[in-house]
Amino acid sequence: MAEQRKLWIKRVVNVGVPLLLVALVFYLGNQKGFTWQQYAQLVVDGVRGGAIYALIALGFVTVYNVTGIINFAQGAFVMLGAMLAATVYELPLPFGDGWRLVVAFVTAVLLTTLVGVLIERLTIYPARHSTPLTLIIITVGVYIAIQGIALLVWGTNALSFPAFTTLGTVDKTIRVGGVVLKAQSFWIWGTTAVILVLLAWFFDRTMLGKGLRACAINRQAARLMGISTHRMSMLSFALAAALGAIGGIVLAPVTRPIYDMGLRLGLKGFVAAIMGGLVSSPAAVLGGLLLGVVENVAAGVTKSGIKDIFAFIILILILLFRPQGILSKAQETEKV
């Protein structure tokens, strides 16, 4: 009887709390005179930001599943991707604007991936027998070092990077029922969808992907089967760096890249990964999208200046009441 009462209370809370929050959002929005178009605009913009968080979260999940490390240098990969792409694009290359974008994109991803490999080989691999806490602290130090180097190289000035689809020098816009959609938003959403499909194919259909999955399930058993866990660790950092770089590049036209952009984005990507339980790529994507919508709508009905607060409120609540993640089953908690 007691168990049934607890289950009933849990169901009431799971349904009642979200409904109360939605009611609060509409109440605050009505106080500002919001129309349905404004609510829709907040949601659309939130999904755009959430897709970036999702790409970053995928990097966290990839490294954590293989190594058990929460890589707080992930934000640095986002920053490097954006800054390198903007820098390469400004070089006097003998190409048109379209090909310059492609060259900048590919070069930035490759260079950032190389940085990810070097980080794993020079910092994580030598300390591979240390405790997980020590390795996490190392990744924090790596992020600080990369941000310092970026400050020396690029200074404090923000760079610019053009939208992938432009009308003259301005990104194309589409109006649907009063809601403004930027063409770059479609590039962001499409990139996230393609990456998720490619990751699913990579992990299910390739030997390297299956090796990574084996390490994620049981490192000791994978080692006994002849899989080099050290190489898989290096590959996971390379993959995470590439994902972060891609996220930074597609975001660059929306927000001007700057040397310290990685901290905020990296932490929000971490929150998205936690929301997904840190063990599932699709759950991490859903967590990122949900986080983007929640924080953007919450900031819209309150004050835009406190937008970043909501992500960390969500993080605290999840760690207190549902540490396995809101999108993961309870039995997955053991891995976290």
Side-chain angles (χ1 to χ4, degrees):
M1 190 68 179
E3 291 296 328
Q4 290 181 346
R5 187 181 297 110
K6 289 181 181 179
L7 182 60
W8 182 82
I9 293 174
K10 184 177 180 180
R11 288 176 177 174
V12 170
V13 170
N14 288 340
V15 175
V17 171
L19 289 177
L20 286 174
L21 291 176
V22 171
L24 179 60
V25 165
F26 280 109
Y27 171 76
L28 293 174
N30 289 336
Q31 293 295 104
K32 290 189 171 185
F34 277 13
T35 63
W36 72 267
Q37 289 96 338
Q38 288 167 301
Y39 287 117
Q41 188 70 61
L42 290 173
V43 171
V44 168
D45 292 342
V47 172
R48 182 182 64 189
I52 299 299
Y53 302 156
L55 287 173
I56 301 170
L58 287 173
F60 276 104
V61 170
T62 300
V63 171
Y64 178 79
N65 277 342
V66 176
T67 66
I69 302 171
I70 297 175
N71 177 29
F72 283 111
Q74 187 66 29
F77 300 147
V78 180
M79 178 271 296
L80 284 176
M83 300 293 280
L84 288 170
T87 301
V88 173
Y89 183 81
E90 293 300 325
L91 295 177
L93 300 175
F95 308 116
D97 290 343
W99 281 108
R100 287 170 65 195
L101 274 173
V102 173
V103 171
F105 189 105
V106 174
T107 303
V109 172
L110 291 178
L111 290 178
T112 306
T113 302
L114 178 61
V115 170
V117 172
L118 291 176
I119 287 173
E120 196 280 336
R121 289 289 93 179
L122 298 178
T123 63
I124 301 301
Y125 181 75
R128 60 191 178 278
H129 300 303
S130 302
T131 63
L133 178 59
T134 299
L135 295 172
I136 291 172
I137 294 174
I138 288 174
T139 66
V140 174
V142 167
Y143 172 82
I144 296 172
I146 292 177
Q147 180 173 283
I149 294 171
L151 175 61
L152 293 175
V153 173
W154 288 291
T156 58
N157 295 326
L159 305 182
S160 61
F161 193 64
F164 296 178
T165 306
T166 59
L167 184 61
T169 58
V170 181
D171 190 15
K172 291 183 179 179
T173 59
I174 303 171
R175 293 184 180 272
V176 180
V179 178
V180 178
L181 298 174
K182 294 283 188 180
Q184 188 64 28
S185 297
F186 291 97
W187 282 100
I188 293 173
W189 297 330
T191 299
T192 303
V194 169
I195 290 296
L196 190 59
V197 171
L198 289 177
L199 283 178
W201 172 82
F202 174 72
F203 285 120
D204 289 337
R205 302 294 182 180
T206 67
M207 292 302 296
L208 283 177
K210 291 178 180 178
L212 284 171
R213 289 181 62 191
C215 290
I217 295 170
N218 191 317
R219 287 174 60 85
Q220 184 64 27
R223 188 182 296 111
L224 293 175
M225 293 299 294
I227 298 173
S228 174
T229 56
H230 301 317
R231 289 183 180 178
M232 293 299 104
S233 174
M234 182 178 67
L235 178 60
S236 70
F237 269 82
L239 189 57
L243 290 170
I246 292 171
I249 295 169
V250 296
L251 177 65
V254 179
T255 177
R256 299 186 68 188
I258 193 168
Y259 80 98
D260 62 349
M261 65 183 290
L263 178 60
R264 178 177 57 84
L265 292 170
L267 290 175
K268 291 186 179 181
F270 171 64
V271 174
I274 290 293
M275 292 174 69
L278 268 176
V279 294
S280 168
S281 295
V285 172
L286 290 175
L289 296 175
L290 181 59
L291 173 62
V293 171
V294 169
E295 72 163 6
N296 205 59
V297 172
V301 299
T302 54
K303 293 183 179 180
S304 59
I306 61 173
K307 179 179 179 179
D308 294 338
I309 293 177
F310 297 106
F312 302 110
I313 291 176
I314 293 173
L315 175 61
I316 293 171
L317 292 175
I318 290 174
L319 293 178
L320 286 175
F321 300 108
R322 196 172 173 83
Q324 75 270 22
I326 62 175
L327 300 173
S328 298
K329 296 180 181 179
Q331 59 265 32
E332 292 177 339
T333 307
E334 295 299 323
K335 187 161 189 179
V336 179

